[in-house]
Amino acid sequence: MTSAIPVNAHEPGEERPARPLTMFGPDFPFAYDDWLAHPAGLGEVPAGEHGTEVAVVGGGLSGIVTAYELMRLGLRPVVYEAHEIGGRLRSTPFEGHPGVVAEMGAMRFPPSSTSLFSYVRQLGLRTTRFPNPLDVSTPSTVVDLKGETHYAQSLDDLPPLYREVADAWHETLVDRVRLEDMQAAIRDRDVKTIKAIWDELVERLDDTTFYGFLAASPAFRSFRHREVFGQVGFGTGGWDTDYPNSMLEILRVVYTAADDDHLSIVGGSQQIPVGLWRREVEAPVHWPAGTSLASLHAGGQPLPGVTRLHRTAPNCLTVTDAAGGIRTFRAAVFTAQSWNLLSRIACDESLFPIDHWTAIERTHYMGSTKLFCLVDRPFWKDVDPRTGRHRMSMTLSDRMTRGTYLLDQGEGRPGLICLSYTWADDSLKWLPLSATERMEVMLASLREIYPDVDLRRHVIASPVTVSWESERDFMGAFKANLPGHYRYQRRLFTHFQQDELPEQYRGLFLAGDDISWTAGWAEGAVQTALNAVWGVVHHLGGRSHPDNPGPGDLFDELAPVRLPED
């Protein structure tokens, strides 16, 4: 975790330990973690605005963080949620087995998500290391490609081809995109160097796919190397489903260590938004001690989902919910999946300038499917006396399962298996099947890899599954920009800074995972929520503390590079 101490707070000549890699940029290198940790807080609104209602559409992580921080500043957030608090932080229990949850959405969080983890610490939640392939916490990994199965406890246990692929990936990053220079700059919070490197890469690579980038690298001249890399990848496993996406999306991940050293939240990630909803604040502005978001809402529940959103005079936003309730606000934050503005919610075109509508329409989402089963015990840790190997391992495969994760729930407790985690086209293959049908296909695939393991014999509960592309209010797991989408993403991310917008378009702020540069990682949802908080405060005549300037105060210095549009 990073501290709130300035980078240069050390004696001249004193050796200073390197700060860790964090999600500091590269597009907008603002220190959200330091802003949150500063004793001056996130700013203030005029006393006359205390108690002002602000609509927050969406009760996922971004919406709840937005509402929580607005409440602490003395405003009254009014949260609308169509389903349950959590959004894509959805922890699903197994009936009859309390304490065990399947993470249907976000399930692994890199330590570089320092803003996110500030809330994890506030809530006193515990973490444990997530068992990614070949991770130190993973007893063993099996790579199964083209019918050949390799058992490994480290990369060196795999055939030389896999080391060649790993070395080719590192060589490509160092030689072609200055990996080491960029990571050193991120560690040092060196904004000037980050922007010098990144702005040039944006101009050079915005039109380049991930696959095109690899194919143009001398280290990946062999198709076989590109094929293996697509199946096995780096960090969490294969990345070939990302091959059509912009290379910039991949670089944001590797530069900021987003795919390294993952942690999971003990008891489920949904505890973060639910915990913030219920958390009683000791000394909020304006509100009495012990106020929580739940206490500001009748019955402790958010309002129903939004069905209509339009502008009304003078410069207000009117929200209609599914129960027919109509309320009008001077400011609102939209944190739900942005495609809802196109199809699920009746909207006036006057909500945004036409270029922002275009950006919303062009947003590209990745589908994702997961299926979990509960087993009687973590039998995979048993060692086969004939081979000396674990009965079953974390498994990467080109079969239908793609990724199978083994999740130990602790001594004397059932075991949890994520039988399959797939994205994009691999996810669509599962779409017509029920949970039981999906499990049958997965068990058949795994039987080919582990012929001596009767996995079915260990299953003790009905499987649970999700395909995010078919979820009514989500329509995808996360945003993933295609080549040429940088300009669209810039419009959406920078929407919180509204001084340059015509007045009739101000007061409605976009936030959420798909607005962030790092979609698919919860840190992006938190960062865009904090942008929206700054935007609302500024819109209502408030300001940041001079000792703790916010993202909008430093916008001109840090703004993402603007590519030409003519």
Side-chain angles (χ1 to χ4, degrees):
M1 306 298 170
T2 60
S3 70
I5 301 173
V7 170
N8 294 322
H10 61 285
E11 295 298 321
E14 178 186 9
E15 184 175 348
R16 174 170 52 87
R19 298 183 74 171
L21 281 169
T22 68
M23 290 194 188
F24 180 75
D27 295 271
F28 186 73
F30 176 76
Y32 292 94
D33 49 3
D34 289 349
W35 194 45
L36 278 172
H38 199 285
L42 303 188
E44 62 180 6
V45 295
E49 298 291 354
H50 289 164
T52 296
E53 291 189 342
V54 179
V56 179
V57 182
L61 178 62
S62 192
I64 297 303
V65 167
T66 299
Y68 179 76
E69 295 298 351
L70 291 177
M71 174 188 68
R72 294 181 66 209
L73 293 169
L75 298 171
R76 187 185 188 106
V78 178
V79 178
Y80 293 84
E81 171 52 49
H83 301 288
E84 59 182 326
I85 291 172
R88 281 170 284 189
L89 269 63
R90 182 187 296 178
S91 305
T92 300
F94 290 86
E95 186 175 355
H97 299 276
V100 181
V101 296
E103 296 283 43
M104 310 309 286
M107 67 178 179
R108 47 193 175 189
F109 306 90
S112 58
S113 303
T114 44
S115 302
L116 170 72
F117 276 103
S118 71
Y119 294 105
V120 172
R121 289 194 298 273
Q122 283 184 46
L123 294 168
L125 300 177
R126 295 189 299 117
T127 61
T128 187
R129 188 135 180 153
F130 187 86
N132 278 320
L134 298 176
D135 188 82
V136 295
S137 67
T138 304
S140 58
T141 300
V142 161
V143 178
D144 171 73
L145 299 181
K146 295 188 175 183
E148 293 187 9
T149 299
H150 305 288
Y151 177 92
Q153 292 180 301
S154 71
L155 180 60
D156 292 336
D157 294 332
L158 293 171
L161 173 62
Y162 292 86
R163 170 61 70 182
E164 292 172 14
V165 169
D167 290 344
W169 176 234
H170 182 75
E171 177 185 332
T172 296
L173 292 175
V174 171
D175 292 349
R176 297 194 62 201
V177 294
R178 299 178 61 183
L179 172 69
E180 294 172 349
D181 293 340
M182 176 62 92
Q183 291 192 330
I186 290 173
R187 284 190 172 95
D188 288 339
R189 304 285 172 104
D190 180 352
V191 171
K192 183 177 179 181
T193 299
I194 291 171
K195 291 190 69 62
I197 296 173
W198 184 248
D199 291 358
E200 186 273 330
L201 289 172
V202 169
E203 296 180 15
R204 174 157 57 96
L205 295 178
D206 178 46
D207 296 326
T208 302
T209 66
F210 184 10
Y211 186 82
F213 177 84
L214 286 180
S217 168
F220 278 98
R221 65 176 63 89
S222 161
F223 174 78
R224 180 61 175 149
H225 284 68
R226 299 195 296 272
E227 185 180 41
V228 169
F229 181 79
Q231 299 290 340
V232 180
F234 58 92
T236 56
W239 278 69
D240 56 356
T241 49
D242 270 271
Y243 274 174
N245 295 332
S246 168
M247 185 59 200
L248 297 178
E249 292 282 70
I250 308 306
L251 292 182
R252 293 182 181 107
V253 173
V254 296
Y255 282 152
T256 61
D259 215 46
D260 298 338
D261 302 321
H262 288 162
L263 302 172
S264 58
I265 308 297
V266 176
S269 63
Q270 196 168 353
Q271 294 175 104
I272 305 171
V274 170
L276 291 175
W277 174 260
R278 298 172 178 168
R279 188 168 195 262
E280 297 179 352
V281 180
E282 293 181 5
V285 175
H286 175 66
W287 304 110
T291 296
S292 67
L293 289 172
S295 71
L296 292 179
H297 291 74
Q301 297 298 317
L303 274 65
V306 172
T307 58
R308 187 180 182 207
L309 184 60
H310 65 287
R311 292 188 181 272
T312 48
N315 299 320
C316 290
L317 292 141
T318 298
V319 179
T320 304
D321 65 42
I326 302 174
R327 299 173 79 152
T328 298
F329 306 86
R330 289 168 52 208
V333 183
F334 188 90
T335 72
Q337 207 258 30
S338 61
W339 277 359
N340 284 292
L341 293 166
L342 304 173
S343 58
R344 300 277 294 128
I345 299 173
C347 297
D348 293 341
E349 286 194 5
S350 60
L351 290 179
F352 306 104
I354 189 61
D355 281 349
H356 287 74
W357 278 117
T358 300
I360 291 170
E361 291 169 346
R362 296 295 185 270
T363 300
H364 171 62
Y365 290 94
M366 295 275 284
S368 175
T369 292
K370 287 183 182 177
L371 187 138
F372 288 84
C373 71
L374 197 65
V375 295
D376 54 0
R377 62 186 181 85
F379 66 87
W380 54 81
K381 296 194 295 185
D382 295 348
V383 175
D384 186 333
R386 294 179 299 107
T387 64
R389 296 178 175 180
H390 295 108
R391 288 286 186 184
M392 191 171 172
S393 305
M394 187 283 140
T395 307
L396 294 175
S397 178
D398 54 3
R399 303 176 194 270
M400 285 283 280
T401 49
R402 293 305 304 267
T404 298
Y405 298 84
L406 310 176
L407 306 167
D408 190 348
Q409 303 297 295
E411 189 68 31
R413 304 188 69 189
L416 181 62
I417 301 179
C418 178
L419 282 172
S420 175
Y421 184 16
T422 58
W423 300 329
D425 288 353
D426 286 332
S427 178
L428 290 175
K429 295 167 187 173
W430 298 110
L431 204 54
L433 305 184
S434 68
T436 301
E437 290 171 325
R438 293 177 184 190
M439 185 171 75
E440 291 301 321
V441 176
M442 294 174 192
L443 292 181
S445 289
L446 289 170
R447 192 180 305 118
E448 296 298 319
I449 304 172
Y450 303 101
D452 297 329
V453 176
D454 185 2
L455 201 157
R456 186 191 305 278
R457 179 173 63 86
H458 294 280
V459 175
I460 60 174
S462 298
V464 294
T465 191
V466 68
S467 289
W468 285 101
E469 55 268 46
S470 67
E471 290 286 298
R472 185 172 174 84
D473 292 299
F474 295 92
M475 297 171 277
F478 50 83
K479 177 270 300 176
N481 285 333
L482 297 174
H485 278 197
Y486 174 87
R487 294 166 179 84
Y488 300 142
Q489 191 64 47
R490 188 187 191 282
R491 293 173 203 165
L492 299 179
F493 179 84
T494 62
H495 182 252
F496 76 95
Q497 171 53 275
Q498 299 189 353
D499 289 347
E500 294 183 5
L501 288 180
E503 188 173 355
Q504 69 266 28
Y505 294 125
R506 299 178 189 176
L508 174 60
F509 300 87
L510 293 170
D513 173 72
D514 52 357
I515 304 305
S516 79
W517 295 108
T518 53
W521 306 104
E523 177 76 0
V526 173
Q527 292 184 2
T528 55
L530 297 175
N531 286 345
V533 169
W534 183 93
V536 170
V537 169
H538 184 67
H539 181 71
L540 296 178
R543 63 185 181 88
S544 305
H545 191 283
D547 293 338
N548 192 33
D553 303 305
L554 301 178
F555 184 81
D556 290 343
E557 175 187 347
L558 305 177
V561 61
R562 190 189 294 271
L563 296 182
E565 300 201 12
D566 295 328

